[in-house]
Amino acid sequence: MKRSLILFLAMFFGVGCGDGRPQRYPVTGTLLIDGQPASLPEGFIGVAAVTFRPESGGRDAYANLNPDGTFQVGNYEVEDGCPLGNFRVAVQFYRLVGSVKKSLIPIRYEEYDTSGLNVVIDKETRNITIEVSSR
């Protein structure tokens, strides 16, 4: 009886001991502006981020830019990866000057519907490049 109880508890807690969230895969990348990595100037105060909206619906994935323009995607937690699928992409890259937001790229990139940016994340995706224009 004791052995059956231990086996039952092991099965109960062992099955589904994931976090109940979709499987996520590591995704890193680089944001390029006019073909060059989007570097953050020293003392940068503002927002530099890339967000991914799944075309099939669900939770957005996001990434903050590192000073060298690279990023690592997170979905539920910082840098915990991204589910598989097709994503529309938005980029926020602006400096705060006092209380004024000064965009460093055209504002169209901030919205999924106007950015024109898309990515496909599959099991083989590791490093992606998101390229925008400064004009």
Side-chain angles (χ1 to χ4, degrees):
M1 176 70 174
K2 192 175 193 181
R3 184 175 176 183
S4 296
L5 180 60
I6 291 170
L7 181 60
F8 171 77
L9 290 174
M11 286 176 35
F12 178 77
F13 288 110
V15 173
C17 58
D19 59 10
R21 300 169 178 168
Q23 175 70 41
R24 296 168 309 279
Y25 298 86
V27 176
T28 59
T30 303
L31 176 66
L32 301 180
I33 300 175
D34 297 329
Q36 299 298 315
S39 60
L40 301 179
E42 191 168 328
F44 178 81
I45 298 175
V47 173
V50 179
T51 54
F52 300 76
R53 173 151 297 159
E55 290 182 1
S56 61
R59 186 180 180 91
D60 289 355
Y62 58 92
N64 291 316
L65 259 59
N66 297 315
D68 64 354
T70 61
F71 58 85
Q72 186 169 341
V73 180
N75 191 234
Y76 286 88
E77 298 172 26
V78 175
E79 302 177 348
D80 71 342
C82 186
L84 304 180
N86 297 323
F87 295 84
R88 293 187 300 158
V89 179
V91 178
Q92 297 77 36
F93 195 39
Y94 57 85
R95 174 177 264 175
L96 291 174
V97 180
S99 61
V100 177
K101 176 173 122 172
K102 182 178 186 252
S103 188
L104 301 172
I105 58 175
I107 198 105
R108 72 178 180 267
Y109 292 116
E110 289 190 17
E111 300 292 329
Y112 298 108
D113 294 333
T114 58
S115 74
L117 302 170
N118 298 288
V119 297
V120 175
I121 305 298
D122 60 26
K123 289 183 181 182
E124 302 304 315
T125 305
R126 291 296 178 260
N127 296 300
I128 59 175
T129 300
I130 307 289
E131 187 159 2
V132 299
S133 169
S134 63
R135 293 179 216 101

